């Protein structure tokens, strides 16, 4: 989903859950909506990555989105030392993520 398509969807009543996923110092934005989950992309549909949260805050706030959820990359085990675990599902990530404000 591009910024332009997000803006159009918001104008037509879309009320998404915005997830900001932290991946070891870089961030990507995932838009959760009634049709599933979409990554925020450039116009050529390549992934849009951010080096900090300030730009994300400004982009979302400018589009009227007031809050979101900060999550983290799903790393729940260490295969190098044999620590097993299960991955969190999307609902668990959103439920246990940190609530953030864009305004």
């Amino acid at each position: 989903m591009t910024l332009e398509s997000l803006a159009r969807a918001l104008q037509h009543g879309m009320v998404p859950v915005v997830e900001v996923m932290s991946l070891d110092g870089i961030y990507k934005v995932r838009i959760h909506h009634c049709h599933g989950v979409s990554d925020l992309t450039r116009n050529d549909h390549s992934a849009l990555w951010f080096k900090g949260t300030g730009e994300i805050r400004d982009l979302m706030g400018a589009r009227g989105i007031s809050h979101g959820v900060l999550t983290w990359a799903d790393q729940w085990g260490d295969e190098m030392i044999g620590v097993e675990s299960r991955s969190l599902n999307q609902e668990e990530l959103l439920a246990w993520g940190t609530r953030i404000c864009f305004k």
Side-chain angles (χ1 to χ4, degrees), residues 26-85:
I26 58 173
Y27 301 86
K28 77 176 190 176
V29 175
R30 296 169 45 126
I31 308 297
H32 297 258
H33 48 82
C34 64
H35 299 292
V37 181
S38 301
D39 288 337
L40 195 60
T41 64
R42 293 181 172 82
N43 288 335
D44 66 2
H45 301 291
S46 63
L48 189 55
W49 295 93
F50 299 90
K51 293 182 181 176
T53 57
E55 186 178 2
I56 297 168
R57 178 198 63 225
D58 295 344
L59 288 172
M60 296 300 113
R63 283 154 183 81
I65 299 173
S66 61
H67 61 281
V69 180
L70 177 65
T71 63
W72 55 93
D74 191 8
Q75 298 176 357
W76 289 100
D78 192 335
E79 67 279 357
M80 293 182 72
I81 60 172
V83 175
E84 294 183 24
S85 67

Side-chain angles (χ1 to χ4, degrees), residues 6-24:
L6 174 61
R8 281 192 306 274
L10 291 169
Q11 290 173 347
H12 288 93
M14 178 180 167
V15 182
V17 173
V18 177
E19 175 187 6
V20 178
M21 181 177 274
S22 174
L23 301 155
D24 293 330

